[in-house]
Amino acid sequence: MSTTESLAAALADGPVVLDGGMSNQLAAAGHDLSDALWSARLLADEPEAVTAAHRAYFEAGADVAITASYQATFEGFARRGAGRERAAELLALSVECARTAAEGAPVRRRPRWVAASVGPYGAMLADGSEYRGRYGLSVAELERFHRPRLEVLAAAAPDVLALETIPDTDEAEALLRVVRGLGVPAWLSYSAAGGRTRAGQPLEDAFALAARAGEVIAVGVNCCTPQDADHAVAVAARVTHKPVVVYPNSGERWDARARAWSGEPTFSASRVTGWRDAGARLIGGCCRVGPDTITSIARTLRGS
């Protein structure tokens, strides 16, 4: 873990800027992400591309890099012929790539932090089920799935674990069980729509699971529309009294059948002041939010 100021301490002082979408930054650089491992494929094939994507966001003004491990699992790597030892190396490499980018970005007074991404079970399936949840697995089964890779990621010494795009409360409960005792703080971020998790549970109930979890330093939403984020930030702050994390998509819609984005972006830096005023302290973007928008967010939050 970094020896600089802790992320939790920084959140007490004011907003911290997250990065944007890893996939769109890699795609913009010409990389093929059609593989079931998505951006995690490049950890094995071209890790320097992952480092370059992180560096672009740090140079744009981000304080936190979220690693390329969202879709990285032992099961997913096994389908590509990687054994458990090699898979563990690649999980740890995701943290190393982000740390290398942080250390190589232009020097400034504020620290930079690395968040190890932990995507939902459905991300491993690569069939869109992370946006539905309800996999037919018990909380105990989900805990057994997540524990091995969380232990590897924690051992790689990130500053925080990003439990992100979680679609339902069963999976959140499983993840909260795993992070207990790992020695690394975490944030819990749901994917939401219409005031509910993707699985249909009220956000009030979902956020409440983390209210008393000492390991959790922030609670909120990601990979949703900016409009859904507007509502969710206020709910998370009211229910948990913790700093809120928010990093929605651009507002465009993903067409899974056509495998393409449609619609117009609705994310603008002007929205972030409302999120900040409602309790958000970790603010950035997810899919289709690139370095230019992160620069605008950073300037808006820092007043310059």
Side-chain angles (χ1 to χ4, degrees):
M1 187 176 296
S2 171
T3 57
T4 60
E5 177 187 18
S6 75
L7 181 57
L11 296 179
D13 292 334
V16 171
V17 180
L18 298 176
D19 60 7
M22 171 61 70
S23 61
N24 48 267
Q25 183 61 18
L26 290 170
H31 299 287
D32 179 10
L33 302 181
S34 59
D35 189 277
L37 281 174
W38 203 28
S39 56
R41 175 187 66 81
L42 293 174
L43 292 171
D45 297 347
E46 201 171 346
E48 61 273 16
V50 175
T51 301
H54 287 310
R55 186 177 297 114
Y57 281 117
F58 281 130
E59 291 173 350
D63 301 311
V64 181
I66 302 173
T67 64
S69 51
Y70 173 83
Q71 209 140 337
T73 63
F74 286 101
E75 294 81 358
F77 284 129
R79 289 195 290 266
R80 288 179 57 87
R84 292 189 70 82
E85 183 176 351
R86 177 56 176 160
E89 290 174 354
L90 293 172
L91 282 163
L93 179 59
S94 71
V95 176
E96 181 182 335
C97 287
R99 189 71 72 195
T100 298
E103 293 170 351
V107 176
R108 62 175 183 173
R109 295 173 63 183
R110 185 160 199 179
R112 295 184 175 95
W113 297 275
V114 171
S117 172
V118 180
Y121 176 84
M124 179 271 295
L125 300 177
D127 61 359
S129 59
E130 72 261 41
Y131 297 109
R132 300 187 298 272
R134 306 283 87 185
Y135 316 114
L137 300 179
S138 67
V139 172
E141 288 171 323
L142 289 166
E143 182 182 355
R144 285 195 293 273
F145 166 77
H146 283 294
R147 185 173 293 280
R149 68 173 176 151
L150 267 162
E151 290 177 343
V152 169
L153 286 170
D159 299 294
V160 63
L161 297 164
L163 315 178
E164 58 176 356
T165 326
I166 306 306
D168 77 40
T169 54
D170 282 357
E171 190 153 26
E173 184 177 346
L175 286 162
L176 291 172
R177 288 183 184 181
V178 177
V179 299
R180 193 175 302 131
L182 284 182
V184 180
W187 78 59
L188 174 62
S189 180
Y190 290 94
S191 178
R196 293 179 174 270
T197 68
R198 292 285 187 160
Q201 301 109 349
L203 284 178
E204 288 85 350
D205 297 342
F207 293 141
L209 289 175
R212 291 183 296 276
E215 298 83 4
V216 175
I217 61 172
V219 183
V221 292
N222 75 289
C223 212
C224 60
T225 68
Q227 294 88 338
D228 282 318
D230 292 345
H231 169 75
V233 168
V235 175
R238 172 172 54 82
V239 170
T240 69
H241 303 290
K242 291 177 181 281
V244 176
V245 55
V246 56
Y247 49 118
N249 295 336
S250 67
E252 297 163 90
R253 296 180 301 279
W254 173 250
D255 184 333
R257 180 172 298 179
R259 296 193 62 79
W261 291 90
S262 63
E264 295 297 322
T266 59
F267 192 131
S268 68
S270 62
R271 304 186 85 107
V272 306
T273 55
W275 298 336
R276 179 197 60 199
D277 294 346
R281 292 296 176 268
L282 278 164
I283 303 174
C286 201
C287 300
R288 305 283 285 182
V289 176
D292 288 347
T293 302
I294 297 305
T295 295
S296 296
I297 291 171
R299 287 174 175 167
T300 299
L301 294 174
R302 295 170 187 154
S304 63

